Amino acid sequence: MLSEKRHTILGRAALGGIAVGAALALSACAPIANILGGGSVEVPEVPEVELETPAEGEDTTAQGPTDTGVFDLNVGDCFIEADMNTAFMSGGVSEIPILSCEEQHDSEIFYAYDIASDTFPGEDAVQTEATSTCQGQIFTDFIGVEYATSEIYVSYLVPTSGSWASGDREVICYAKTLNGELVTGTFEGANR
């Protein structure tokens, strides 16, 4: 049987809290200026800028990673797992680098769902459910072979007790290669 590597991403709630805190802080700038006696806040006039349109036949596809909010991940997003882990582990980061699946990557989100419970079921229960779901029929339908015989592995992002308190219920399943082998294209229908 293939080994399993689990990645519980700590701090999903903290990252969301940082983003919400930053948004609240930015939206509070004008009221703070009024409280401090600054009166109204003047907004400088922004000059119009003429945007260039791409020449006919010019490649306009994005190259390199695009930072995506941790709570804005979608099925079909591709990334390099080590880059995602580095982004999560560096303090205060709320964005992870997402790549076009046509660029080299080692991981792809293939399924996401919410845990159906009013109370946090506990870390072990969340891990057990995520493992069962991500390695089950959903994996077989996406990859084309059962997990037990596949060369492709599974990992997932799960809510923590802290992120649960903030409303996070989402489990994100992603397929990945062994040892960071880079591939291009989707894992869908890989049959390996």
Side-chain angles (χ1 to χ4, degrees):
M1 176 166 214
L2 302 175
S3 65
E4 171 188 331
K5 183 176 178 185
R6 296 182 187 170
H7 290 277
T8 303
I9 304 300
L10 302 176
R12 286 177 73 177
L15 296 175
I18 290 169
V20 169
L24 290 175
L26 290 174
S27 67
C29 289
I32 289 172
N34 287 335
I35 291 169
L36 297 175
S40 64
V41 177
E42 287 187 35
V43 178
E45 192 173 311
V46 179
E48 285 189 37
V49 177
E50 187 174 319
L51 300 175
E52 292 184 27
T53 57
E56 189 175 322
E58 184 177 340
D59 183 13
T60 60
T61 57
Q63 299 296 313
T66 301
D67 289 341
T68 299
V70 67
F71 294 106
D72 295 323
L73 296 173
N74 294 301
V75 170
D77 286 344
C78 292
F79 55 93
I80 296 175
E81 186 180 50
D83 291 348
M84 179 185 70
N85 290 338
T86 299
F88 273 124
M89 297 307 162
S90 61
V93 173
S94 62
E95 306 287 318
I96 64 168
I98 297 298
L99 297 164
S100 162
C101 292
E102 298 309 312
E103 295 181 58
Q104 289 192 331
H105 61 280
D106 65 4
S107 302
E108 178 181 354
I109 297 172
F110 68 92
Y111 188 67
Y113 72 97
D114 287 342
I115 294 175
S117 178
D118 293 332
T119 58
F120 184 64
E123 289 183 20
D124 290 341
V126 169
Q127 293 287 332
T128 299
E129 180 179 327
T131 299
S132 175
T133 300
C134 296
Q135 293 178 2
Q137 190 62 45
I138 299 298
F139 178 88
T140 303
D141 291 347
F142 183 73
I143 299 297
V145 296
E146 291 183 359
Y147 182 74
T149 61
S150 180
E151 298 172 5
I152 297 172
Y153 293 80
V154 164
S155 200
Y156 39 79
L157 306 178
V158 299
T160 63
S161 60
S163 69
W164 189 276
S166 299
D168 180 20
R169 304 290 187 269
E170 188 172 43
V171 173
I172 298 173
C173 305
Y174 62 93
K176 63 183 187 169
T177 61
L178 179 62
N179 298 322
E181 170 197 352
L182 297 178
V183 297
T184 56
T186 181
F187 285 113
E188 185 172 12
N191 291 313
R192 60 180 193 125

